[in-house]
Amino acid sequence: MAAALTPTRRAWGKRVLDRLTPTGLAVPAFLIAWSFLVIVPLLVIVMFSFFQVKSYRIVYEPSLATWETLIESGRWITAVRTLRIGITMTVIELLLAFPFALWLAKGCKSKTVKALIITLLTIPFFLDTSSRIIVWRSILGTNGFVNTVLMSSGLIDEPISWLLYSEFAVHFGMLGTYFPTMVFPIFMIMSLIDDDYIQASSDLGGSPGQTLLYVILPMSLPGVVAGVVFTLVPLMAAFTEPQMLGGGFVNLLGNSVNSALQELKYPTAAALSTVVVALLGLCLAALIMITRKRFDMSTMFQAIQR
């Protein structure tokens, strides 16, 4: 009996030793580090939302007082506004970025022009957001460049007030900030599409519209999905554009979190952050459900391979 078990134990021990390789240890080590750096802070934020502040001190007694205060103060309207503006800007960026990325990937033949455009698209990543946004205040203001030109040309009799400190100004300010995050994933995936597929569609009698709809668009979906995620997620936490171009009239959840932190209301900031994470989770879950009905994401990249 012991002789029969010995080979089995040796085989089990060999399998365990085989798994203790640098490659086998890398994934568990990464998951543990990722859980510690990302998931654990999120759990702490959710836990903090059930505490409250009294006399500038946190009372570590779980209650729903902070959440009840958020609902009674009408912060849910801010959450709805944040979700509406986030989704609206994501759709606008997608409608602008898709044809631009298509031209950049397949239409622009000059390598110099393409390199120059890609370099210009990286400017928002290394230039401070406040430095770029504050310029628009002098352009869109009542005495700004746009109103001055329109009044000097006789097109309007008085300055247009809604150009600044309005939802229009916030949308306009976000346009340049989040355009690269939508363009780059779509451009990269379109660059991988072999030109022979497009030429084959044309040779078979397909119109430019049919080639776009049945060849380019399905093969570009991985980039479109990545662009939506990379654009929508930071939009839900944006606070610079609403603060500088909204003038206090267009507050989003990011502004509410920043205001709560300045007032040392950490449970309130934690509750608002939990709302942001919950809304993002719902949006990403909806995106996954929609894409699962349209295509299999695990096989999409195989379609662009020759």
Side-chain angles (χ1 to χ4, degrees):
M1 184 67 178
L5 291 175
T6 300
T8 303
R9 290 176 178 174
R10 288 178 178 175
W12 179 82
K14 187 176 183 304
R15 287 198 299 270
V16 172
L17 291 176
D18 290 340
R19 293 179 180 178
L20 295 178
T21 59
T23 306
L25 291 173
V27 175
F30 173 77
L31 291 176
I32 293 174
W34 179 259
S35 301
F36 182 77
L37 294 174
V38 178
I39 297 178
V40 172
L42 285 178
L43 295 177
V44 172
I45 288 174
V46 175
M47 183 180 66
F48 250 75
S49 68
F50 292 98
F51 300 145
Q52 56 181 322
V53 175
K54 291 183 177 179
S55 301
Y56 297 100
R57 290 187 178 182
I58 300 177
V59 179
Y60 293 97
E61 295 180 0
S63 70
L64 295 175
T66 301
W67 287 97
E68 290 174 356
T69 304
L70 285 184
I71 297 174
E72 293 173 354
S73 62
R75 292 289 178 86
W76 61 273
I77 298 177
T78 306
V80 173
R81 184 190 300 123
T82 304
L83 184 63
R84 174 171 56 80
I85 292 180
I87 294 176
T88 302
M89 281 307 304
T90 303
V91 173
I92 293 173
E93 299 284 14
L94 178 60
L95 294 176
L96 295 175
F98 190 88
F100 182 80
L102 178 60
W103 170 80
L104 190 61
K106 298 300 179 185
C108 183
K109 302 300 181 185
S110 173
K111 294 182 180 179
T112 304
V113 175
K114 187 176 292 186
L116 179 62
I117 293 174
I118 292 174
T119 303
L120 292 175
L121 287 173
T122 61
I123 289 178
F125 293 116
F126 60 80
L127 191 62
D128 180 63
T129 307
S130 302
S131 303
R132 289 182 289 103
I133 297 301
I134 200 170
V135 175
W136 292 112
R137 297 177 65 168
S138 60
I139 297 175
L140 301 175
T142 305
N143 299 319
F145 176 77
V146 175
N147 276 316
T148 302
V149 171
L150 292 176
M151 292 183 68
S152 301
S153 60
L155 294 176
I156 57 175
D157 297 328
E158 56 184 13
I160 302 174
S161 59
W162 51 263
L163 287 179
L164 189 62
Y165 303 140
S166 62
E167 280 202 16
F168 166 80
V170 174
H171 282 81
F172 186 80
M174 290 177 171
L175 197 62
T177 304
Y178 300 99
F179 186 68
T181 59
M182 182 67 79
V183 166
F184 275 121
I186 301 175
F187 163 72
M188 292 175 67
I189 201 68
M190 283 182 174
S191 299
L192 296 175
I193 299 176
D194 199 308
D195 292 338
D196 289 346
Y197 287 116
I198 301 174
Q199 186 61 42
S201 174
S202 178
D203 294 341
L204 293 173
S207 65
Q210 291 174 322
T211 302
L212 175 65
L213 185 61
Y214 298 111
V215 179
I216 298 176
L217 183 58
M219 291 184 172
S220 304
L221 284 178
V224 172
V225 174
V228 169
V229 173
F230 292 154
T231 304
L232 178 61
V233 171
L235 272 170
M236 294 296 292
F239 69 94
T240 304
E241 295 87 355
Q243 184 176 8
M244 301 190 71
L245 298 179
F249 301 103
V250 190
N251 286 326
L252 303 185
L253 283 176
N255 303 102
S256 297
V257 172
N258 191 37
S259 176
L261 290 175
Q262 290 178 350
E263 297 173 1
L264 304 181
K265 295 180 179 179
Y266 299 121
T268 303
L272 291 169
S273 300
T274 303
V275 172
V276 174
V277 174
L279 291 176
L280 281 174
L282 291 174
C283 292
L284 295 179
L287 181 63
I288 292 173
M289 293 300 296
I290 293 173
T291 53
R292 285 182 62 183
K293 292 180 179 178
R294 299 294 181 184
F295 53 85
D296 185 359
M297 295 184 67
S298 63
T299 60
M300 284 192 306
F301 287 96
Q302 297 177 5
I304 60 177
Q305 295 178 353
R306 295 198 62 173

